[in-house]
Amino acid sequence: MTGNGEQDRNQHDRRHQLFYRLLLAVDIQGYSKRDVREQLLAQRQLSDALDRAALGVGLDRSRWEKQVGGDGELATLPEGVDPAPVAGDFVLGLAAALAEVNDAAGEGARHRLRVRLALHHGTLAAGPFGPAGDAPIVVQRLLDAGPLRRLLVTDADRDLAYVVSDSLFEDVVQTGFCALPPEAFQPIKVTAKGDAFRGYILTGRAAGEREAGGEGRGGPAGRPAAQARVYDFPALAVR
């Protein structure tokens, strides 16, 4: 029989153990502009959309460790989850679920459900107020990145703006196992509190596509184009 002292040591060891996990952060655009009833509706709609997208790749959100806020959540996915379906098929499923919600609401709806989504994998430790470590910071900084927010502003018909960290892009998206092609992403760099964070936003630029001005992909000297064409998510899926 295990004594109380050994149980306390085991709990202490777990609290100070590092885990390597996939993290997902999501946020509702324009949440503060809704009244209370509209905020509650948006929360339920987003939760349902996330449930549907997760089930579509064989995941159960009830097993995710969540740090929930009024307008979104930071989720740590279970150990052993394959990141490729989450980085691709899950995102496609979420975009489709959001489109259904907004189509059902109709053109007269005061607010559409529009969402920012960020993915990263890295190390973290469990804490009393949520996960601690670099990985939760990285995914939250990318979620709040100005270029990701502007994607929803500049494309009024878009329901989902999606970014992955540079390490997840290199380790997962570029492998060919992801349902979204790497050429559909463009790199970003954001600075927050003196630190730089790099990621890739899904803009939908196809390899070799040209802007109206005749420059090649990414503009002169390979720089990211100022106005990248954005495709519908289903059109980006690898068949």
Side-chain angles (χ1 to χ4, degrees), residues 141-142 144-147 188-198:
R141 293 289 184 258
L142 291 175
D144 292 334
I188 62 166
K189 176 183 175 182
V190 294
T191 304
K193 298 185 178 180
D195 291 324
F197 302 88
R198 299 177 185 274

Side-chain angles (χ1 to χ4, degrees), residues 6-203:
E6 185 175 345
Q7 289 178 351
D8 291 342
R9 283 194 299 273
N10 290 338
Q11 291 176 358
H12 181 272
D13 290 343
R14 178 170 175 79
R15 285 197 300 268
H16 292 83
Q17 183 178 355
L18 276 177
F19 300 92
Y20 191 89
R21 297 288 179 81
L22 183 64
L23 291 96
L24 179 154
V26 62
D27 184 88
I28 299 171
Q29 188 87 339
Y31 182 80
S32 62
K33 297 179 181 178
R34 302 169 182 256
D35 63 30
V36 176
R37 289 201 313 172
E38 291 168 337
Q39 289 177 355
L40 291 172
L41 175 62
Q43 288 183 18
R44 290 193 295 268
Q45 290 174 331
L46 177 57
S47 182
D48 289 345
L50 289 168
D51 282 342
R52 289 178 54 190
L55 286 173
V57 293
L59 297 177
D60 180 359
R61 280 186 67 237
S62 68
R63 297 185 58 227
W64 297 7
E65 298 176 11
K66 306 182 192 73
Q67 185 177 1
V68 180
D71 56 354
E73 72 179 33
L74 170 63
T76 304
L77 276 62
E79 184 178 6
V81 169
D82 184 351
V86 181
D89 292 308
F90 170 85
V91 177
L92 293 167
L94 180 57
L98 294 173
E100 287 188 18
V101 168
N102 292 325
D103 287 346
E107 294 184 1
R110 207 165 81 92
H111 299 286
R112 293 200 349 257
L113 184 60
R114 311 182 73 214
V115 169
R116 301 192 315 279
L117 173 69
L119 286 182
H120 175 53
H121 59 180
T123 55
L124 64 146
F129 295 105
D134 286 341
I137 294 172
V138 170
V139 75
Q140 292 280 23
R141 293 289 184 258
L142 291 175
L143 184 71
D144 292 334
L148 192 68
R149 291 178 178 272
R150 286 195 295 273
L151 193 57
L152 291 180
V153 173
T154 57
D155 184 359
D157 295 326
R158 191 177 184 88
D159 296 324
L160 180 62
Y162 172 48
V163 61
V164 299
S165 65
D166 57 348
S167 61
L168 192 143
F169 180 83
E170 293 172 2
D171 294 344
V172 178
V173 176
Q174 289 194 130
T175 64
F177 285 90
C178 179
L180 294 169
E183 61 267 22
F185 292 78
Q186 285 198 17
I188 62 166
K189 176 183 175 182
V190 294
T191 304
K193 298 185 178 180
D195 291 324
F197 302 88
R198 299 177 185 274
Y200 285 78
I201 289 181
L202 181 68
T203 61

Side-chain angles (χ1 to χ4, degrees), residues 206-235:
E209 183 190 6
R210 293 182 175 272
E211 294 292 316
E215 298 290 353
R217 178 179 181 269
R223 293 193 301 271
Q227 296 295 330
R229 182 179 175 188
V230 177
Y231 292 86
D232 292 335
F233 278 74

